[in-house]
Amino acid sequence: MRVARAATAAKITSMTDLLILNGRLVTWNTPNEILDDCALLLRDGRIAAMGPSARLREQHPNTEQMDARGQLVMPGNICAHTHFYGAFARGMAIPGPAPKDFPDILERLWWRLDRALLDVDVEYSALVSLLDAIKHGTTTLIDHHASPNAIDSSLDQIADAVERAGVRAALCYEVSDRNGLDEAQAGISENVRFLHAVKERDTDLLAATFGLHASLSLSDRTLAKCVAAAKGLDTGFHIHVAEHEVDEYDSREKYGMRVVDRLAAAGVLGPKSIVAHAIHIDAREMELLRDTGTWVTHQPRSNMNNAVGAAPVESMMRLGIPVCLGNDGMGNAMWGEWKEAYFLHKAAHRDPRRGNGMDVVQMAVYNNAALAQVFWPELPLGRLAVGAAADVILVDYQAITPLSAGNLPWHIIFGFESSMVTTTIVGGRVLMRDRQLLTLDEAAITARSRELAAEVWERYNALGS
């Protein structure tokens, strides 16, 4: 069953020119600036002009206006690695004793949950994730999908949800041998099919890459088939790497080399490829990631939840590896990820100097924007500048202490809450205004998702019996 758009959405969210007045603009340019009492003119999906409110109001007297009322006007947040399909795990109990380690979590939670998903569950897990993103100011997401019993056209199910919601997303399907060769081939086919299909959709909301699960669930044969299938498709890969030590142990035992060495030899790494986590890599693996220009994503909330350790993000960044910030499906309020990135490394190293706020900004803002550019090369994302994408959020943050470009990271970490996002705009289209969702019917979607999640949980429990 498809959910109808809100009745007034087409009128309210149409991409007419929009003048946002009386805002405090956070540009996230280099260097970052906060521009008081300024305005943005949004036209044809881009930022057409920016400057003092009085001047732009005078120049564009007949343009539809939105009064920011002194709120912060910022680029939308970007998530470098997520899993929409995991949405229905919220509140679900894992039968039996608590999982003892990450491999146990994979086998008893995620590899049963993804097998319990049907087509409609794929659609609704995406919809509830996208609702969450819009409400919390996340406008671009890079998703990594798995639904072994509903592989064919699963990326179209997600893509349809993305287009209805109005956000941007880069999609892929995770190929794995864990359920047999036929499923692995189906995953390969789904990636290839969607890489072609996304071009036919002719929208700048969608992009694609080639998904792989992890070295530990990919044979040499399947890995080679993936690389061969991706040849000529102008794509990289999106894969989990060394999230737990078992990935390294498995690779050394089976293939006589560490994970990143194996992926480099197979032709998986490169400037269009993303490796998620990279917690247990060594110095030589870092050099390989750097030398191949491969992107790394850091997911601190998930890493703490799974008790897998703290990735050496400072060492990687010092070496020149572009480390980005994702959420691993833990929720699309990205400022929560900022906070945990800041605190995790202090706790893990027992050193308050670790996890510097500017390092968090480098990951979450500048590196995430650069990674998004890989998927949308003609569309500058993650900053307020003339010609950049009109992906904008309004944030009702009333600072109780002086706020400047220099101390903004610490205001975000210690003062911002995701509930402060009042308006979300993507490509000049208003998706939420004054906390009213305009493109999706939250009540209808959440009611249906509760019904579907209950059925998923029943199938999940049956798979374990």
Side-chain angles (χ1 to χ4, degrees):
M1 180 183 75
R2 301 285 182 181
V3 178
R5 295 173 184 264
T8 59
K11 179 179 179 181
I12 296 175
T13 66
S14 59
M15 287 177 54
T16 57
D17 290 2
L18 179 64
L19 184 60
I20 303 174
L21 297 164
N22 307 318
R24 301 189 71 192
L25 307 189
V26 177
T27 68
W28 286 134
N29 288 316
T30 306
N32 183 33
E33 296 179 283
I34 298 180
L35 308 176
D36 289 322
D37 193 18
C38 279
L40 288 179
L41 176 65
L42 309 184
R43 173 178 293 159
D44 297 329
R46 303 281 185 122
I47 297 172
M50 55 190 293
S53 290
R55 174 162 59 83
L56 265 67
R57 183 188 293 110
E58 182 179 354
Q59 291 174 345
H60 306 278
N62 299 318
T63 300
E64 179 184 353
Q65 297 181 3
M66 176 185 290
D67 188 353
R69 304 184 303 276
Q71 296 180 83
L72 297 177
V73 180
M74 309 174 66
N77 288 318
I78 297 170
C79 174
H81 174 77
T82 192
H83 297 287
F84 296 155
Y85 80 85
F88 286 175
R90 183 175 298 177
M92 186 177 71
I94 301 175
K100 64 182 182 299
D101 54 24
F102 184 60
D104 208 18
I105 292 171
L106 284 177
E107 292 181 6
R108 293 174 54 200
L109 174 58
W110 298 115
W111 290 355
R112 282 168 55 186
L113 176 68
D114 62 23
R115 286 162 54 209
L117 298 175
L118 305 180
D119 289 348
V120 68
D121 307 310
V122 171
E123 176 188 4
Y124 273 82
S125 60
L127 284 170
V128 296
S129 297
L130 296 166
L131 277 169
D132 183 54
I134 294 170
K135 290 172 67 176
H136 298 134
T138 301
T139 55
T140 299
L141 305 104
I142 301 174
D143 186 60
H144 195 273
H145 178 62
S147 54
N149 289 321
I151 297 176
D152 185 44
S153 297
S154 59
L155 297 182
D156 281 335
Q157 295 284 100
I158 300 171
D160 288 346
V162 169
E163 288 193 280
R164 288 171 53 199
V167 302
R168 301 188 200 278
L171 310 179
C172 68
Y173 187 89
E174 67 164 44
V175 178
S176 171
D177 283 314
R178 65 179 179 266
N179 295 312
L181 295 179
D182 288 345
E183 182 203 298
Q185 183 57 56
I188 293 170
S189 298
E190 179 63 6
N191 278 306
V192 172
R193 186 199 63 77
F194 188 72
L195 281 158
H196 288 292
V198 75
K199 297 176 183 177
E200 299 300 319
R201 284 179 176 260
D202 191 28
T203 173
D204 62 9
L205 294 181
L206 291 165
T209 186
F210 201 116
L212 307 170
H213 173 248
S215 174
L216 61 84
S217 71
L218 290 163
S219 66
D220 274 348
R221 176 184 176 185
T222 297
L223 202 55
K225 289 176 69 175
C226 291
V227 172
K231 190 173 182 180
L233 295 178
D234 190 28
T235 185
F237 298 89
H238 188 176
I239 182 172
H240 301 95
V241 167
E243 187 172 359
H244 183 273
E245 295 94 335
V246 70
D247 202 19
E248 294 287 10
Y249 297 155
D250 177 88
S251 185
R252 290 176 64 185
E253 179 180 347
K254 292 179 181 175
Y255 311 108
M257 63 183 81
R258 293 179 69 88
V259 171
V260 176
D261 299 71
R262 181 182 181 225
L263 298 179
V268 169
L269 305 182
K272 292 188 176 182
S273 290
I274 304 167
V275 304
H277 304 295
I279 298 171
H280 299 285
I281 60 174
D282 69 8
R284 176 55 183 154
E285 288 177 292
M286 290 188 205
E287 290 178 343
L288 286 169
L289 292 171
R290 178 199 60 195
D291 293 347
T292 55
T294 302
W295 301 83
V296 173
T297 70
H298 180 42
Q299 290 70 225
R301 284 187 291 185
S302 172
N303 296 162
M304 287 188 285
N305 183 52
N306 291 324
V308 291
V313 295
E314 293 158 314
S315 295
M316 287 191 279
M317 292 171 71
R318 177 174 166 79
L319 197 61
I321 297 169
V323 182
C324 303
L325 196 68
N327 63 37
D328 215 26
M330 291 288 288
N332 290 312
M334 287 302 293
W335 292 322
E337 214 68 48
W338 283 48
K339 296 172 192 285
E340 302 309 334
Y342 184 78
F343 297 129
L344 167 61
H345 299 279
K346 291 172 171 54
H349 299 285
R350 299 183 61 201
D351 186 342
R353 296 166 294 186
R354 306 297 288 267
N356 184 276
M358 293 309 298
D359 286 341
V360 177
V361 169
Q362 185 65 46
M363 290 188 288
V365 175
Y366 297 109
N367 290 354
N368 275 13
L371 174 58
Q373 206 78 52
V374 171
F375 295 101
W376 290 275
E378 305 302 321
L379 190 62
L381 295 166
R383 58 193 176 96
L384 300 186
V386 173
D391 295 6
V392 179
I393 60 175
L394 273 60
V395 183
D396 189 15
Y397 178 66
Q398 304 303 320
I400 62 171
T401 57
L403 172 64
S404 67
N407 68 16
L408 177 60
W410 290 270
H411 274 275
I412 293 174
I413 291 165
F414 291 101
F416 274 34
E417 297 295 341
S418 55
S419 60
M420 293 174 179
V421 177
T422 65
T423 296
T424 301
I425 301 169
V426 175
R429 183 185 185 197
V430 183
L431 311 184
M432 180 176 73
R433 185 166 189 166
D434 293 330
R435 297 190 174 90
Q436 179 187 0
L437 289 157
L438 302 177
T439 58
L440 296 175
D441 185 335
E442 182 176 20
I445 290 171
T446 54
R448 182 60 175 143
S449 74
R450 283 193 294 270
E451 296 172 351
L452 293 170
E455 296 169 5
V456 168
W457 291 8
E458 289 180 5
R459 291 193 293 274
Y460 165 89
N461 285 315
L463 287 167
S465 61

